[in-house]
Amino acid sequence: MGGGPTLDLNIGDALYAPLAARQLTNARVENAKAASNDLLLEVSLAYTDLMQGYAELEIAEETYQNAKQLAELLTAYEKVGKTSNVDTTRAETELYQRDRERILARGRVQAGSIRLAQLLNLPPSISLRPAEPALVPLPMVPEVLPLPEMIAQGILHRPEMAENQSYIDAALQYWRSAKVEPFVPKLGLGVSAGGFGGGPNDFFGNFDSRSDVTALVYWRLENLGLGNLAKQNERESLLAQANHRLRIMENRIVGQIAQAYNQTEISRQQIPAAENAIKAARESHRLNSERIKRAPEQARPLEILQPIQALNRVRLDYLQTVADYNRAQFRLYAAMGNPPQCALDRANVDAKAQLPAPREVGK
């Protein structure tokens, strides 16, 4: 009668389990980085939405003031018989519509502030305002950087790739452990102490103290080795699944970079045309206003309504184009794994070096 501790040591697990655990820890770390990057992207997009909301509110306020001036002008002209009630009514309708758009713009600003406060873990009652005075194009990724280089940067820096690679390494260690398990011995060590007694026939006595130390080296085959083979096949299947998930993630990253790059290029190409449209619309509004004030008898005052609407429309179009460009830049930068600036600068220098040199005139 007695007892004592027993230690069983699986040499295969002792060799490979710590390696697998280390890889799983690395995977968790990379997963946390990916979650942080995703949250950073959401905050960037929400901040862009807030900036766009304030810019739309500014445009709505200016358009409302233009419509108000037109309505006041037509009301004054109607009193002296220089225009009809039809034109005045149309101007008032435009004024009411622009007043409604101001209210909607304020609502979008408030909604954007609440969304950003939620992402920043701030009270929703706080009214957030952008630090920048205006929404302008924000190129975060060099424009000369070719798409293959962007994809290479994404494969290199995306934490999701490192996470899945760590899962592959962990599955590889488990598979190796299953392969060597039938051939690697297991160790058993036991220590026991207590009383030992006995006697002839059914006599049970003559107890005395006794201690034993047991050391074993043994091999174990599960179901005559078939169970070990099944475990190897299972671990090999898990390894293949991990490799397949890595390929899926790689294709997903390539698609995200390509889509963001395509959206960036589309928006970037629209910006010059949108800027020229604003210049033309402002000039049209100025010329029509001066014409009405200088020679009202030569034109109907209501003719300025179309330039007001055109200016409002092209300003909103430009604002949407710039916002889409910035969002695409944020998505592209995040899809590339938020690479360090030094990596982008080095890739930018290499990309410029590969560009053909400008040819001189006549050569």
Side-chain angles (χ1 to χ4, degrees):
M1 294 180 294
T6 301
L7 173 65
D8 287 325
L9 177 60
N10 189 326
I11 297 181
D13 289 344
L15 291 175
Y16 294 103
L19 300 178
R22 187 178 300 115
Q23 295 301 327
L24 293 177
T25 301
N26 293 337
R28 299 296 187 273
V29 172
E30 297 299 331
N31 181 265
K33 292 180 181 179
S36 178
N37 291 344
D38 291 342
L39 180 59
L40 182 61
L41 175 59
E42 288 189 38
V43 171
S44 302
L45 297 178
Y47 184 72
T48 303
D49 293 341
L50 183 64
M51 291 185 65
Q52 183 178 359
Y54 272 101
E56 289 177 350
L57 178 59
E58 181 181 351
I59 294 174
E61 292 285 355
E62 182 177 329
T63 305
Y64 173 80
Q65 294 300 326
N66 292 335
K68 183 179 179 181
Q69 292 176 6
L70 176 61
E72 293 174 349
L73 177 64
L74 288 173
T75 300
Y77 278 17
E78 183 184 358
K79 292 180 179 180
V80 296
K82 292 184 179 182
T83 188
S84 64
N85 180 260
V86 176
D87 291 347
T88 305
T89 305
R90 289 185 59 185
E92 290 177 350
T93 302
E94 181 72 13
L95 179 62
Y96 296 146
Q97 179 65 21
R98 298 308 172 183
D99 188 29
R100 174 178 172 271
E101 290 182 356
R102 288 195 309 171
I103 298 174
L104 293 176
R106 295 192 190 102
R108 288 192 295 270
V109 166
Q110 187 63 27
S113 177
I114 293 174
R115 171 60 178 163
L116 184 57
Q118 177 186 3
L119 293 174
L120 298 177
N121 198 26
L122 297 174
S125 57
I126 294 180
S127 180
L128 299 176
R129 295 185 61 89
E132 292 79 6
L135 182 61
V136 296
L138 182 62
M140 300 187 64
V141 180
E143 295 179 355
V144 299
L145 205 62
L147 180 59
E149 178 63 27
M150 296 181 185
I151 293 176
Q153 292 284 339
I155 299 300
L156 178 64
H157 293 102
R158 280 290 286 271
E160 291 89 341
M161 291 295 296
E163 176 188 3
N164 281 273
Q165 186 60 54
S166 295
Y167 282 130
I168 290 177
D169 294 339
L172 179 62
Q173 301 303 329
Y174 284 128
W175 176 60
R176 289 174 175 174
S177 176
K179 285 189 65 176
V180 303
E181 185 176 7
F183 309 103
V184 176
K186 297 175 176 57
L187 302 180
L189 179 63
V191 178
S192 61
F196 182 81
N201 300 324
D202 59 352
F203 177 76
F204 192 60
N206 297 328
F207 278 88
D208 199 356
S209 61
R210 172 174 172 169
S211 60
D212 296 274
V213 177
T214 305
L216 299 176
V217 178
Y218 62 96
W219 287 259
R220 180 179 177 181
L221 294 178
E222 298 181 4
N223 294 331
L224 299 180
L226 297 178
N228 298 99
L229 181 60
K231 182 182 292 186
Q232 293 177 24
N233 293 335
E234 178 189 10
R235 299 287 174 82
E236 188 176 6
S237 175
L238 294 176
L239 177 59
Q241 293 176 36
N243 278 284
H244 184 61
R245 285 193 294 269
L246 181 64
R247 299 284 81 77
I248 292 177
M249 178 55 64
E250 182 176 345
N251 292 333
R252 183 180 303 171
I253 291 174
V254 172
Q256 291 174 352
I257 293 176
Q259 291 177 3
Y261 174 77
N262 181 61
Q263 183 60 50
T264 298
E265 286 299 302
I266 292 176
S267 300
R268 182 179 62 83
Q269 295 172 13
Q270 295 181 60
I271 291 177
E275 291 175 344
N276 293 331
I278 292 179
K279 294 178 182 178
R282 286 193 182 279
E283 183 67 11
S284 174
H285 180 265
R286 184 186 67 81
L287 293 176
N288 278 273
S289 299
E290 291 180 354
R291 180 187 179 191
I292 295 298
K293 295 177 181 179
R294 183 176 62 252
E297 67 282 351
Q298 297 180 3
R300 295 173 59 189
L302 189 63
E303 291 179 2
I304 200 176
L305 178 60
Q306 193 277 333
I308 291 176
Q309 295 173 340
L311 179 59
N312 178 76
R313 183 173 61 254
V314 296
R315 291 187 66 190
L316 290 177
D317 290 343
Y318 172 78
L319 182 63
Q320 186 64 48
T321 300
V322 173
D324 289 342
Y325 174 80
N326 288 350
R327 292 189 188 97
Q329 282 284 302
F330 286 133
R331 290 191 175 97
L332 180 59
Y333 186 70
M336 293 172 61
N338 297 354
Q341 190 61 42
C342 59
L344 291 179
D345 294 339
R346 184 169 57 252
N348 188 25
V349 172
D350 295 340
K352 289 182 178 180
Q354 296 175 4
L355 294 176
R359 296 170 54 186
E360 296 182 7
V361 179
K363 292 186 178 182

